[in-house]
Amino acid sequence: MKVIEGLKYSKDHEWVKVDGNKAIIGITDYAQDSLGDVVFVDLPEPGEVVNAGDAAAVVESVKAAADIYSPVSGTIIEVNTELEGSPELINEDPYQNWIIVVEINDASELDFLMDAEEYERFCKEEA
Amino acid sequence: MKKTPLYNKHVSLNAKMIDFGGWMMPLQYSGILQEHEAVRTESGLFDVSHMGQIMVEGTAAREFIQRLITNDISKLRDNSILYSPMCYPDGGTIDDIMIYKLNMDKYLVVVNAANTQKDLEWMQSHRDGDVTVTDASEQYALLALQGPRAQDILQKLTDIPLEQIRFFRFMDEVNIAGISALVSRTGYTGEDGFEIYVSSQNVSRLWDSIVEAGQEYNLVPAGLGARDTLRFEAALPLYGHELSEEISPLEAGLDRFVKLDKGDFIGRDALLKQSRDGVSRKLVGLEMVDRGIPRHGCQVKADDKIIGQVTSGSFSPTLKKNLALALLESRFAEEDTRVDIVIRNKSLKAKVVKTPFYVKRYKK
């Protein structure tokens, strides 16, 4: 299982890359592996406002559908439309192939997320 | 939780294990898409030892089975197999089963794992005359070798000319890699292939022999995930989805396995009435027009009114489309009819298409 230093992680297995006031959000290697072959991604419309913990997108594998929760509150300003035609990119490289970008309302919410080391421990406990 | 004799093998192959009707079974090894593709183009090996086996014996065995099933067993020959629904008096389906005729007075009935106990009790409570009904599930392990290379692989392990075993036929006591097996040309994938019944003690050795023989043909171990997408594309019914105690075989479109003129059987009156009046619901194929994957239980609507529901839905790995089987009010069953499928509270457009979604020509 691959975990990347410098990213923040949620208990729902999303990763967040903070870039100024933007949060780039995707799913972790652990998440893509437990989902299996991803065959469908349902993206929100840019401009939608989300609260931390809201389902913002859906990633579906052959067997299951998983909600992708935004770990932060804010406005969705970008979605990765490349995933609509090539959902398998999430399996190939889950950290390169982000899903949404949220303009952060409240940076203090980031404090509730885990760092790489904490997340790795969290996954081990869950497994 | 029950385990098949191959449980440790699956774990050592890093399979993702799941609970399937009380059994710990491999969902996937390398991945559902890859395993699916391998079965369509080369071959795959499945452990389906969870399936139930019931031995029916006695001079009254044939008459007994004939009364329980909707298909007609009277003309079935030795070493041949009959597929049939088994129904309640109201026409609802108890199970769909395979009946292997070993001889005039001995039949091996293969049933869905989760239904084994229910079927046994039903059969035992309807015994009449010289017939015994025994649960043989523990004795048998079952491998399914499926795909266009299945015969090439298995032929390496036996002197019996396998091309002599035609579709829905079987041969007993076949020597495969030194192991005695019952081999049938059957399967649940829409591909050519074999199902191989062996004693539980020998199945691990047989698995290894087949895997080794299959190396040159790119054989892969395949799990229940691929088994489900393969059977779904071939529109083969899955009990609990396309068939259930509430769904009759006529509603599920299995008319050719319901022989209303064969004489009396349990469920005949109800099915005869459905046949005369026409069924009110029908199983159809749906293809998504909008983006979305329909799943089991999704509602289907027309003009904002509920007209049925999805029994199975999936991305089709072979056809690269999002498809569903759905039980709809019969007037919506015509090809090209537009309907809506409700996925996560959104009504998404779909249209009725022909089934099976995927057809392969193979040895009959």
Side-chain angles (χ1 to χ4, degrees), chain B residues 295-361:
Chain B
R295 304 281 185 183
H296 173 75
C298 285
Q299 286 180 344
V300 182
K301 289 183 170 179
D303 296 326
D304 238 18
K305 274 179 39 200
I306 297 171
I307 57 160
Q309 58 177 318
V310 171
T311 55
S312 294
S314 178
F315 170 73
S316 158
T318 309
L319 305 166
K320 318 276 183 233
K321 289 173 179 170
N322 294 325
L323 303 171
L325 292 168
L327 197 58
L328 303 187
E329 288 176 23
S330 298
R331 62 201 166 99
F332 296 98
E334 209 161 306
E335 210 177 314
D336 238 20
T337 305
R338 301 291 158 137
V339 297
D340 293 320
I341 303 182
V342 183
I343 302 175
R344 286 185 290 277
N345 300 320
K346 268 189 275 182
S347 282
L348 300 175
K349 286 191 189 63
K351 63 176 182 191
V352 177
V353 295
K354 266 203 201 79
T355 56
F357 305 116
Y358 169 88
V359 191
K360 175 81 150 258
R361 300 208 171 277

Side-chain angles (χ1 to χ4, degrees), chain A residues 33-62:
Chain A
D33 183 63
S34 47
L35 263 174
D37 295 319
V38 174
V39 293
F40 184 78
V41 179
D42 197 10
L43 297 168
E45 291 292 326
E48 254 179 56
V49 175
V50 287
N51 287 313
D54 281 358
V58 179
V59 172
E60 296 196 42
S61 67
V62 181

Side-chain angles (χ1 to χ4, degrees), chain B residues 84-326:
Chain B
S84 182
M86 176 163 76
C87 287
Y88 289 109
D90 69 1
T93 311
I94 300 173
D95 201 358
D96 59 333
I97 61 180
M98 302 270 278
I99 302 150
Y100 286 63
K101 184 174 182 181
L102 299 162
N103 63 51
M104 190 62 182
D105 301 329
K106 193 172 180 185
Y107 300 83
L108 177 66
V109 178
V110 182
V111 304
N112 284 298
N115 290 339
T116 309
Q117 206 49 41
K118 176 180 79 171
D119 292 0
L120 256 175
E121 281 163 21
W122 179 259
M123 293 168 88
Q124 269 160 354
S125 70
H126 287 82
R127 273 188 312 132
D128 191 16
D130 172 29
V131 60
T132 60
V133 175
T134 330
D135 185 2
S137 307
E138 293 282 308
Q139 284 131 277
Y140 284 103
L142 176 54
L143 299 182
L145 176 60
Q146 300 280 298
R149 296 280 159 256
Q151 182 170 307
D152 296 329
I153 293 166
L154 203 59
Q155 193 64 77
K156 286 173 68 182
L157 302 172
T158 182
D159 294 332
I160 300 282
L162 290 171
E163 79 269 4
Q164 285 180 6
I165 305 177
R166 290 189 289 137
F167 189 56
F168 265 60
R169 300 291 175 82
F170 70 94
M171 217 181 268
D172 201 0
E173 293 173 8
V174 178
N175 181 330
I176 298 178
I179 297 161
S180 176
L182 185 156
V183 179
S184 63
R185 192 180 288 269
T186 48
Y188 195 50
T189 58
E191 295 297 324
D192 188 19
F194 298 92
E195 289 178 303
I196 307 158
Y197 298 77
V198 288
S199 78
S200 298
Q201 304 96 280
N202 289 333
V203 69
S204 184
R205 248 183 337 125
L206 181 64
W207 173 280
D208 291 341
S209 298
I210 294 175
V211 165
E212 200 189 320
Q215 264 176 12
E216 63 173 303
Y217 298 103
N218 303 319
L219 172 71
V220 300
L224 292 188
R227 186 171 156 86
D228 190 44
T229 50
L230 289 158
R231 73 91 200 165
F232 171 72
E233 288 181 342
L236 298 168
L238 172 61
Y239 192 85
H241 292 243
E242 285 69 42
L243 286 171
S244 74
E245 297 181 0
E246 277 81 47
I247 304 172
S248 87
L250 295 179
E251 293 173 320
L254 299 175
D255 305 48
R256 67 186 189 283
F257 306 107
V258 178
K259 301 289 163 55
L260 293 166
D261 53 3
K262 74 167 185 173
D264 197 25
F265 62 90
I266 299 172
R268 181 171 181 267
D269 293 348
L271 293 169
L272 193 61
K273 185 169 188 310
Q274 286 183 13
S275 173
R276 276 201 198 121
D277 303 350
V279 288
S280 57
R281 312 179 294 176
K282 245 187 181 158
L283 193 72
V284 303
L286 297 175
E287 179 183 327
M288 291 304 296
V289 176
D290 286 340
R291 292 186 75 248
I293 303 180
R295 304 281 185 183
H296 173 75
C298 285
Q299 286 180 344
V300 182
K301 289 183 170 179
D303 296 326
D304 238 18
K305 274 179 39 200
I306 297 171
I307 57 160
Q309 58 177 318
V310 171
T311 55
S312 294
S314 178
F315 170 73
S316 158
T318 309
L319 305 166
K320 318 276 183 233
K321 289 173 179 170
N322 294 325
L323 303 171
L325 292 168

